[in-house]
Amino acid sequence: MTTLTKFSDQSPEAVSQDTSGVAISGAPEHTVWVHFKGADDQVRAGVWESTAGVFHGPQNGQIEYCHILEGSATIRLQDGTEFEVCAGDGFVMDNGLQPVWTVKDRVRKQWVIVSVPE
């Protein structure tokens, strides 16, 4: 079945994610709302937010497109390169990327994840 999924028409459950395995400092709280799951969950889309903290955001077995809706963050890559992202910014994190996110207050993003076969 082919469909169009409009996020504003959805009421997905807010799911708290366990950050104990990714937190570096602070006590970030992550919440995700999944608005779409495609065939075999190979493509997923939704909204995610984080409170203040520093944490790993590994891209293992997936490619993720993000669009920042609110707030800002600094994303540091393995080579030390840093990117400031804020409301209005869109970007893609490629499979294998091992970014470290620093959120000073709060950040909220829309995301689309495509699973990559290993």
Side-chain angles (χ1 to χ4, degrees), residues 11-67:
S11 298
E13 178 182 343
V15 177
S16 294
Q17 295 178 311
D18 179 11
T19 61
S20 62
V22 296
I24 298 170
S25 67
E29 295 178 9
H30 295 172
T31 306
V32 67
W33 295 263
V34 178
H35 291 265
F36 175 81
K37 287 185 179 185
D40 299 326
D41 289 341
Q42 296 297 305
V43 177
R44 301 173 310 282
V47 174
W48 170 91
E49 77 176 24
S50 175
T51 60
V54 180
F55 51 89
H56 294 282
Q59 298 299 307
N60 298 325
Q62 65 184 29
I63 297 170
E64 180 177 359
Y65 167 78
C66 303
H67 181 256

Side-chain angles (χ1 to χ4, degrees), residues 60-105:
N60 298 325
Q62 65 184 29
I63 297 170
E64 180 177 359
Y65 167 78
C66 303
H67 181 256
I68 303 296
L69 299 171
E70 300 172 25
S72 64
T74 301
I75 302 173
R76 189 178 75 248
L77 307 183
Q78 297 99 301
D79 67 3
T81 304
E82 291 188 350
F83 295 89
E84 298 291 326
V85 295
C86 62
D89 287 339
F91 55 96
V92 173
M93 294 185 289
D94 204 357
N95 183 35
L97 193 68
Q98 303 299 311
V100 172
W101 288 67
T102 300
V103 176
K104 292 180 183 138
D105 183 36

